[in-house]
Amino acid sequence: MSDQSHSEPAILAGNLHGIDLSKLPKNLDMSVETITENVIAMHGNCPDERTKFIFTKLITHLHDFVRETDLTTEEWMSAIHFLTATGKKCTDLRQEFILLSDTLGVSSLVDSINNAKPPGATEASVLGPFFTDDALHVENGQSIASEGKGNYLWVEGKVLDTKGNAIPNVTIDTWETDGDGLYDNQYAQRGGPECRGRLQSAEDGSYAFRAVVPVFYSIPSDGPVGGLLKSLHRHVFRPAHLHMMLQAEGFEKLTTALYLNGDPWITSDAVFGVKSSLIVDMTEETDAEVARARGFKDTQKSHKVLKQDFVLATPEEAVTARKALLARVVAK
Ligand code: BEZ
Ligand code: FE
């Protein structure tokens, strides 16, 4: 017998512990060239095609990444330490993994694919971690912010379908930071909802509320993700924006945000939420009578005005838009 006698493994068949042996890898001697196909073959018994597909792609890209970067053991270990620290930073109130996904552009990408919109419909933007479900109801024309929380802003517009018809009774959630760039839930002592509100569009689809002028702010940067951005010499700023979430019977939920034109971070948002269709201009209103009619306390102060309509898609329109998007971007 030569030394070669064990080089051809016996082909195994049948079931062992309920596992179909014929669907397992056939190779010995994992090498840089063969390990990927072997790892993929290990889930040959998975009955769910989608799960199989996702993990086949994940392993393929992950292994290619290791080969293409010639990853060192030290670099791999430092990634393990980083992910461990990211997990340890997570609490019920803080999700460092989502922040990681946000800053790597993954959240925005998933969002854009899953919320493709038909032509004319308002585009989506990232939800972010600061939405809360306890915003107080405000009537049209009322304020979502207490006096002194920032510079005066009046927001108004209509909610429409893609054919231009008004949509009444749309539940509109809106939230923003105060003038210091902090959401109410970033303060150690949160008295209650602040700079956030929930309103309904009127019969003619219109909505209006008082708010404060959004300012640019820093994403949470005191954790491992902040450290990663620092090592990449990346900044941590989001351009000034106002979050909006619109929900109505018979329409796709829209989670979006309006971004202020002229913001210094508009083209380099730390979490890639900006879309050009969501960039808005404000005007300035100096007429004290208008300020009084809109309910601003200090009528001698001018206020900014942001006018924006929102166009909601139906579920059918959204499915068609998503199919068209995937046909365009997914390599066959
Ligand atoms: C936000 O806009 O609130 C946000 C989004 C992603 C990460 C951090 C903040
Ligand atoms: Fe935000």
Side-chain angles (χ1 to χ4, degrees):
M1 275 242 187
S2 76
D3 291 346
Q4 308 294 309
S5 59
H6 294 295
S7 61
E8 289 293 323
I11 301 294
L12 299 171
N15 270 30
L16 193 58
H17 289 295
I19 298 162
D20 182 347
L21 296 176
S22 71
K23 290 183 177 166
L24 293 182
K26 304 286 180 290
N27 300 330
L28 292 175
D29 304 319
M30 287 313 98
S31 69
V32 170
E33 288 86 1
T34 61
I35 188 157
T36 305
E37 64 193 67
N38 265 58
V39 175
I40 289 169
M42 288 291 269
H43 57 239
N45 279 293
C46 176
D48 186 83
E49 286 304 321
R50 177 73 182 159
T51 305
K52 246 160 87 165
F53 174 70
I54 287 174
F55 277 87
T56 298
K57 288 286 182 191
L58 179 67
I59 290 156
T60 304
H61 290 293
L62 205 52
H63 286 206
D64 281 346
F65 168 78
V66 172
R67 279 184 287 257
E68 285 168 22
T69 57
D70 186 12
L71 201 70
T72 66
T73 305
E74 290 71 30
E75 287 163 343
W76 170 78
M77 202 59 217
S78 109
I80 299 288
H81 286 317
F82 170 76
L83 292 173
T84 306
T86 300
K88 285 185 177 167
K89 193 75 187 170
C90 293
T91 65
D92 286 350
L93 296 174
R94 172 135 181 194
Q95 233 304 349
E96 194 75 358
F97 273 114
I98 293 186
L99 193 62
L100 178 61
S101 160
D102 293 341
T103 53
L104 296 182
V106 178
S107 309
S108 177
L109 185 55
V110 171
D111 196 57
S112 295
I113 291 171
N114 283 274
N115 296 293
K117 294 288 183 289
T122 305
E123 290 193 277
S125 187
V126 287
L127 171 71
F130 299 115
F131 171 76
T132 65
D133 211 14
D134 64 351
L136 298 180
H137 176 80
V138 295
E139 294 296 333
N140 270 306
Q142 286 187 338
S143 186
I144 64 160
S146 304
E147 189 66 21
K149 286 290 170 184
N151 293 324
Y152 290 164
L153 174 69
W154 174 258
V155 189
E156 69 171 37
K158 278 192 164 196
V159 190
L160 307 164
D161 66 18
T162 55
K163 295 177 184 69
N165 301 308
I167 314 178
N169 299 318
V170 179
T171 302
I172 305 172
D173 270 290
T174 180
W175 66 105
E176 61 173 339
T177 69
D178 58 21
D180 291 327
L182 289 168
Y183 288 94
D184 59 1
N185 45 353
Q186 289 182 287
Y187 287 97
Q189 302 295 325
R190 181 180 188 249
E194 179 59 77
C195 292
R196 57 181 82 233
R198 177 172 286 173
L199 55 154
Q200 299 280 130
S201 64
E203 254 336 282
D204 63 351
S206 65
Y207 73 89
F209 58 94
R210 297 195 304 280
V212 294
V213 175
V215 295
F216 69 75
Y217 65 83
S218 160
I219 59 169
S221 60
D222 58 341
V225 173
L228 172 69
L229 299 184
K230 200 160 181 218
S231 71
L232 290 168
H233 290 245
R234 272 183 57 173
H235 74 71
V236 292
F237 297 107
R238 291 221 68 201
H241 59 275
L242 178 68
H243 291 275
M244 305 282 290
M245 186 192 283
L246 295 90
Q247 301 180 74
E249 191 83 21
F251 293 90
E252 284 290 288
K253 175 176 172 178
L254 171 66
T255 302
T256 191
L258 302 175
Y259 296 89
L260 298 189
N261 201 5
D263 189 284
W265 311 108
I266 200 90
T267 57
S268 67
D269 180 2
V271 301
F272 310 98
V274 181
K275 293 185 169 111
S276 55
S277 68
L278 301 175
I279 299 176
V280 292
D281 286 299
M282 296 182 302
T283 55
E284 179 140 12
E285 178 58 68
T286 53
D287 188 331
E289 273 317 305
V290 176
R292 193 183 323 278
R294 287 176 174 167
F296 288 108
K297 189 167 179 212
D298 185 349
T299 54
Q300 294 315 303
K301 274 205 298 204
S302 68
H303 63 269
K304 299 279 190 205
V305 178
L306 197 170
K307 291 189 178 176
Q308 181 70 18
D309 292 344
F310 292 91
V311 179
L312 302 186
T314 63
E316 298 74 28
E317 289 171 330
V319 168
T320 308
R322 187 168 177 205
K323 279 188 189 151
L325 175 86
L326 288 176
R328 221 171 54 236
V329 301
V330 179
K332 291 282 177 305

PDB file of all heavy atoms in Angstrom, residues 239-260:
ATOM      1  N   PRO A 239     -26.500  66.180   8.927  1.00  0.00           N
ATOM      2  CA  PRO A 239     -26.996  67.516   8.582  1.00  0.00           C
ATOM      3  C   PRO A 239     -28.354  67.763   9.242  1.00  0.00           C
ATOM      4  O   PRO A 239     -29.080  66.814   9.575  1.00  0.00           O
ATOM      5  CB  PRO A 239     -27.129  67.452   7.056  1.00  0.00           C
ATOM      6  CG  PRO A 239     -27.232  66.008   6.732  1.00  0.00           C
ATOM      7  CD  PRO A 239     -26.476  65.262   7.785  1.00  0.00           C
ATOM      8  N   ALA A 240     -28.677  69.037   9.430  1.00  0.00           N
ATOM      9  CA  ALA A 240     -29.948  69.409  10.075  1.00  0.00           C
ATOM     10  C   ALA A 240     -31.131  68.772   9.347  1.00  0.00           C
ATOM     11  O   ALA A 240     -31.218  68.854   8.110  1.00  0.00           O
ATOM     12  CB  ALA A 240     -30.085  70.933  10.043  1.00  0.00           C
ATOM     13  N   HIS A 241     -32.027  68.174  10.107  1.00  0.00           N
ATOM     14  CA  HIS A 241     -33.178  67.513   9.479  1.00  0.00           C
ATOM     15  C   HIS A 241     -34.354  67.422  10.433  1.00  0.00           C
ATOM     16  O   HIS A 241     -34.202  67.509  11.655  1.00  0.00           O
ATOM     17  CB  HIS A 241     -32.803  66.112   8.980  1.00  0.00           C
ATOM     18  CG  HIS A 241     -32.299  65.221  10.073  1.00  0.00           C
ATOM     19  ND1 HIS A 241     -30.979  65.221  10.472  1.00  0.00           N
ATOM     20  CD2 HIS A 241     -32.919  64.336  10.876  1.00  0.00           C
ATOM     21  CE1 HIS A 241     -30.825  64.360  11.462  1.00  0.00           C
ATOM     22  NE2 HIS A 241     -31.986  63.804  11.738  1.00  0.00           N
ATOM     23  N   LEU A 242     -35.503  67.207   9.842  1.00  0.00           N
ATOM     24  CA  LEU A 242     -36.755  67.013  10.578  1.00  0.00           C
ATOM     25  C   LEU A 242     -37.291  65.648  10.159  1.00  0.00           C
ATOM     26  O   LEU A 242     -37.528  65.406   8.969  1.00  0.00           O
ATOM     27  CB  LEU A 242     -37.733  68.124  10.166  1.00  0.00           C
ATOM     28  CG  LEU A 242     -39.125  68.112  10.763  1.00  0.00           C
ATOM     29  CD1 LEU A 242     -39.078  68.409  12.258  1.00  0.00           C
ATOM     30  CD2 LEU A 242     -40.003  69.155  10.053  1.00  0.00           C
ATOM     31  N   HIS A 243     -37.441  64.748  11.134  1.00  0.00           N
ATOM     32  CA  HIS A 243     -37.965  63.408  10.820  1.00  0.00           C
ATOM     33  C   HIS A 243     -39.484  63.463  10.647  1.00  0.00           C
ATOM     34  O   HIS A 243     -40.178  64.173  11.401  1.00  0.00           O
ATOM     35  CB  HIS A 243     -37.671  62.435  11.963  1.00  0.00           C
ATOM     36  CG  HIS A 243     -36.225  62.098  12.119  1.00  0.00           C
ATOM     37  ND1 HIS A 243     -35.612  61.095  11.405  1.00  0.00           N
ATOM     38  CD2 HIS A 243     -35.269  62.604  12.931  1.00  0.00           C
ATOM     39  CE1 HIS A 243     -34.349  61.003  11.771  1.00  0.00           C
ATOM     40  NE2 HIS A 243     -34.102  61.923  12.694  1.00  0.00           N
ATOM     41  N   MET A 244     -39.993  62.679   9.693  1.00  0.00           N
ATOM     42  CA  MET A 244     -41.437  62.589   9.469  1.00  0.00           C
ATOM     43  C   MET A 244     -41.792  61.130   9.195  1.00  0.00           C
ATOM     44  O   MET A 244     -41.090  60.453   8.430  1.00  0.00           O
ATOM     45  CB  MET A 244     -41.861  63.418   8.246  1.00  0.00           C
ATOM     46  CG  MET A 244     -41.461  64.880   8.242  1.00  0.00           C
ATOM     47  SD  MET A 244     -42.482  65.954   9.258  1.00  0.00           S
ATOM     48  CE  MET A 244     -44.024  65.977   8.367  1.00  0.00           C
ATOM     49  N   MET A 245     -42.874  60.680   9.787  1.00  0.00           N
ATOM     50  CA  MET A 245     -43.363  59.326   9.504  1.00  0.00           C
ATOM     51  C   MET A 245     -44.854  59.438   9.221  1.00  0.00           C
ATOM     52  O   MET A 245     -45.602  59.986  10.038  1.00  0.00           O
ATOM     53  CB  MET A 245     -43.118  58.432  10.719  1.00  0.00           C
ATOM     54  CG  MET A 245     -43.457  56.974  10.490  1.00  0.00           C
ATOM     55  SD  MET A 245     -43.480  56.087  12.049  1.00  0.00           S
ATOM     56  CE  MET A 245     -41.763  55.876  12.358  1.00  0.00           C
ATOM     57  N   LEU A 246     -45.281  58.960   8.054  1.00  0.00           N
ATOM     58  CA  LEU A 246     -46.674  59.132   7.656  1.00  0.00           C
ATOM     59  C   LEU A 246     -47.332  57.777   7.434  1.00  0.00           C
ATOM     60  O   LEU A 246     -46.785  56.919   6.722  1.00  0.00           O
ATOM     61  CB  LEU A 246     -46.770  59.963   6.368  1.00  0.00           C
ATOM     62  CG  LEU A 246     -46.295  61.423   6.474  1.00  0.00           C
ATOM     63  CD1 LEU A 246     -44.824  61.558   6.172  1.00  0.00           C
ATOM     64  CD2 LEU A 246     -47.095  62.325   5.560  1.00  0.00           C
ATOM     65  N   GLN A 247     -48.514  57.601   8.043  1.00  0.00           N
ATOM     66  CA  GLN A 247     -49.224  56.331   7.912  1.00  0.00           C
ATOM     67  C   GLN A 247     -50.685  56.589   7.611  1.00  0.00           C
ATOM     68  O   GLN A 247     -51.326  57.390   8.306  1.00  0.00           O
ATOM     69  CB  GLN A 247     -49.135  55.531   9.210  1.00  0.00           C
ATOM     70  CG  GLN A 247     -47.709  55.233   9.627  1.00  0.00           C
ATOM     71  CD  GLN A 247     -47.654  54.435  10.922  1.00  0.00           C
ATOM     72  OE1 GLN A 247     -47.945  53.253  10.933  1.00  0.00           O
ATOM     73  NE2 GLN A 247     -47.282  55.081  12.009  1.00  0.00           N
ATOM     74  N   ALA A 248     -51.194  55.897   6.586  1.00  0.00           N
ATOM     75  CA  ALA A 248     -52.614  56.042   6.246  1.00  0.00           C
ATOM     76  C   ALA A 248     -53.124  54.726   5.682  1.00  0.00           C
ATOM     77  O   ALA A 248     -52.376  54.003   5.010  1.00  0.00           O
ATOM     78  CB  ALA A 248     -52.798  57.157   5.216  1.00  0.00           C
ATOM     79  N   GLU A 249     -54.363  54.446   5.981  1.00  0.00           N
ATOM     80  CA  GLU A 249     -55.039  53.240   5.487  1.00  0.00           C
ATOM     81  C   GLU A 249     -54.926  53.181   3.954  1.00  0.00           C
ATOM     82  O   GLU A 249     -55.199  54.174   3.286  1.00  0.00           O
ATOM     83  CB  GLU A 249     -56.520  53.368   5.899  1.00  0.00           C
ATOM     84  CG  GLU A 249     -57.351  52.147   5.731  1.00  0.00           C
ATOM     85  CD  GLU A 249     -57.213  51.179   6.913  1.00  0.00           C
ATOM     86  OE1 GLU A 249     -56.796  51.624   8.007  1.00  0.00           O
ATOM     87  OE2 GLU A 249     -57.535  50.004   6.706  1.00  0.00           O
ATOM     88  N   GLY A 250     -54.481  52.048   3.415  1.00  0.00           N
ATOM     89  CA  GLY A 250     -54.430  51.883   1.958  1.00  0.00           C
ATOM     90  C   GLY A 250     -53.160  52.408   1.328  1.00  0.00           C
ATOM     91  O   GLY A 250     -53.014  52.391   0.098  1.00  0.00           O
ATOM     92  N   PHE A 251     -52.207  52.884   2.159  1.00  0.00           N
ATOM     93  CA  PHE A 251     -50.946  53.415   1.619  1.00  0.00           C
ATOM     94  C   PHE A 251     -49.754  52.810   2.365  1.00  0.00           C
ATOM     95  O   PHE A 251     -49.884  52.379   3.515  1.00  0.00           O
ATOM     96  CB  PHE A 251     -50.900  54.940   1.729  1.00  0.00           C
ATOM     97  CG  PHE A 251     -51.915  55.604   0.851  1.00  0.00           C
ATOM     98  CD1 PHE A 251     -53.196  55.878   1.313  1.00  0.00           C
ATOM     99  CD2 PHE A 251     -51.604  55.910  -0.472  1.00  0.00           C
ATOM    100  CE1 PHE A 251     -54.157  56.451   0.496  1.00  0.00           C
ATOM    101  CE2 PHE A 251     -52.551  56.493  -1.306  1.00  0.00           C
ATOM    102  CZ  PHE A 251     -53.830  56.763  -0.825  1.00  0.00           C
ATOM    103  N   GLU A 252     -48.617  52.782   1.691  1.00  0.00           N
ATOM    104  CA  GLU A 252     -47.387  52.332   2.330  1.00  0.00           C
ATOM    105  C   GLU A 252     -46.974  53.332   3.394  1.00  0.00           C
ATOM    106  O   GLU A 252     -47.052  54.553   3.173  1.00  0.00           O
ATOM    107  CB  GLU A 252     -46.258  52.256   1.286  1.00  0.00           C
ATOM    108  CG  GLU A 252     -46.337  51.076   0.362  1.00  0.00           C
ATOM    109  CD  GLU A 252     -46.038  49.772   1.071  1.00  0.00           C
ATOM    110  OE1 GLU A 252     -44.866  49.527   1.413  1.00  0.00           O
ATOM    111  OE2 GLU A 252     -46.977  48.988   1.279  1.00  0.00           O
ATOM    112  N   LYS A 253     -46.512  52.815   4.506  1.00  0.00           N
ATOM    113  CA  LYS A 253     -45.975  53.709   5.546  1.00  0.00           C
ATOM    114  C   LYS A 253     -44.728  54.406   4.982  1.00  0.00           C
ATOM    115  O   LYS A 253     -43.904  53.749   4.328  1.00  0.00           O
ATOM    116  CB  LYS A 253     -45.615  52.862   6.755  1.00  0.00           C
ATOM    117  CG  LYS A 253     -44.944  53.596   7.875  1.00  0.00           C
ATOM    118  CD  LYS A 253     -44.750  52.602   9.025  1.00  0.00           C
ATOM    119  CE  LYS A 253     -43.912  53.168  10.126  1.00  0.00           C
ATOM    120  NZ  LYS A 253     -43.792  52.205  11.241  1.00  0.00           N
ATOM    121  N   LEU A 254     -44.616  55.683   5.236  1.00  0.00           N
ATOM    122  CA  LEU A 254     -43.443  56.434   4.759  1.00  0.00           C
ATOM    123  C   LEU A 254     -42.642  56.954   5.952  1.00  0.00           C
ATOM    124  O   LEU A 254     -43.158  57.721   6.758  1.00  0.00           O
ATOM    125  CB  LEU A 254     -43.888  57.612   3.881  1.00  0.00           C
ATOM    126  CG  LEU A 254     -42.786  58.607   3.487  1.00  0.00           C
ATOM    127  CD1 LEU A 254     -41.747  57.944   2.561  1.00  0.00           C
ATOM    128  CD2 LEU A 254     -43.374  59.840   2.806  1.00  0.00           C
ATOM    129  N   THR A 255     -41.401  56.500   6.068  1.00  0.00           N
ATOM    130  CA  THR A 255     -40.497  57.047   7.089  1.00  0.00           C
ATOM    131  C   THR A 255     -39.456  57.859   6.340  1.00  0.00           C
ATOM    132  O   THR A 255     -38.724  57.319   5.508  1.00  0.00           O
ATOM    133  CB  THR A 255     -39.812  55.914   7.878  1.00  0.00           C
ATOM    134  OG1 THR A 255     -40.823  55.099   8.463  1.00  0.00           O
ATOM    135  CG2 THR A 255     -38.907  56.468   8.966  1.00  0.00           C
ATOM    136  N   THR A 256     -39.412  59.132   6.626  1.00  0.00           N
ATOM    137  CA  THR A 256     -38.516  59.982   5.849  1.00  0.00           C
ATOM    138  C   THR A 256     -38.005  61.140   6.706  1.00  0.00           C
ATOM    139  O   THR A 256     -38.238  61.188   7.916  1.00  0.00           O
ATOM    140  CB  THR A 256     -39.254  60.473   4.569  1.00  0.00           C
ATOM    141  OG1 THR A 256     -38.303  61.091   3.701  1.00  0.00           O
ATOM    142  CG2 THR A 256     -40.385  61.432   4.889  1.00  0.00           C
ATOM    143  N   ALA A 257     -37.303  62.045   6.089  1.00  0.00           N
ATOM    144  CA  ALA A 257     -36.807  63.230   6.796  1.00  0.00           C
ATOM    145  C   ALA A 257     -36.589  64.327   5.766  1.00  0.00           C
ATOM    146  O   ALA A 257     -36.332  64.045   4.590  1.00  0.00           O
ATOM    147  CB  ALA A 257     -35.504  62.916   7.522  1.00  0.00           C
ATOM    148  N   LEU A 258     -36.694  65.566   6.230  1.00  0.00           N
ATOM    149  CA  LEU A 258     -36.435  66.713   5.360  1.00  0.00           C
ATOM    150  C   LEU A 258     -35.108  67.324   5.788  1.00  0.00           C
ATOM    151  O   LEU A 258     -34.879  67.544   6.984  1.00  0.00           O
ATOM    152  CB  LEU A 258     -37.568  67.736   5.490  1.00  0.00           C
ATOM    153  CG  LEU A 258     -38.961  67.195   5.150  1.00  0.00           C
ATOM    154  CD1 LEU A 258     -40.022  68.254   5.427  1.00  0.00           C
ATOM    155  CD2 LEU A 258     -39.014  66.727   3.693  1.00  0.00           C
ATOM    156  N   TYR A 259     -34.245  67.561   4.834  1.00  0.00           N
ATOM    157  CA  TYR A 259     -32.885  68.054   5.115  1.00  0.00           C
ATOM    158  C   TYR A 259     -32.769  69.499   4.637  1.00  0.00           C
ATOM    159  O   TYR A 259     -33.239  69.833   3.540  1.00  0.00           O
ATOM    160  CB  TYR A 259     -31.860  67.166   4.412  1.00  0.00           C
ATOM    161  CG  TYR A 259     -31.880  65.749   4.954  1.00  0.00           C
ATOM    162  CD1 TYR A 259     -32.728  64.783   4.412  1.00  0.00           C
ATOM    163  CD2 TYR A 259     -31.072  65.381   6.025  1.00  0.00           C
ATOM    164  CE1 TYR A 259     -32.766  63.491   4.928  1.00  0.00           C
ATOM    165  CE2 TYR A 259     -31.104  64.095   6.549  1.00  0.00           C
ATOM    166  CZ  TYR A 259     -31.948  63.158   5.998  1.00  0.00           C
ATOM    167  OH  TYR A 259     -31.987  61.886   6.520  1.00  0.00           O
ATOM    168  N   LEU A 260     -32.120  70.324   5.433  1.00  0.00           N
ATOM    169  CA  LEU A 260     -32.053  71.752   5.105  1.00  0.00           C
ATOM    170  C   LEU A 260     -30.932  72.064   4.112  1.00  0.00           C
ATOM    171  O   LEU A 260     -29.762  71.730   4.363  1.00  0.00           O
ATOM    172  CB  LEU A 260     -31.853  72.585   6.374  1.00  0.00           C
ATOM    173  CG  LEU A 260     -32.950  72.502   7.430  1.00  0.00           C
ATOM    174  CD1 LEU A 260     -32.715  73.548   8.514  1.00  0.00           C
ATOM    175  CD2 LEU A 260     -34.342  72.674   6.810  1.00  0.00           C
TER     176      LEU A 260
END
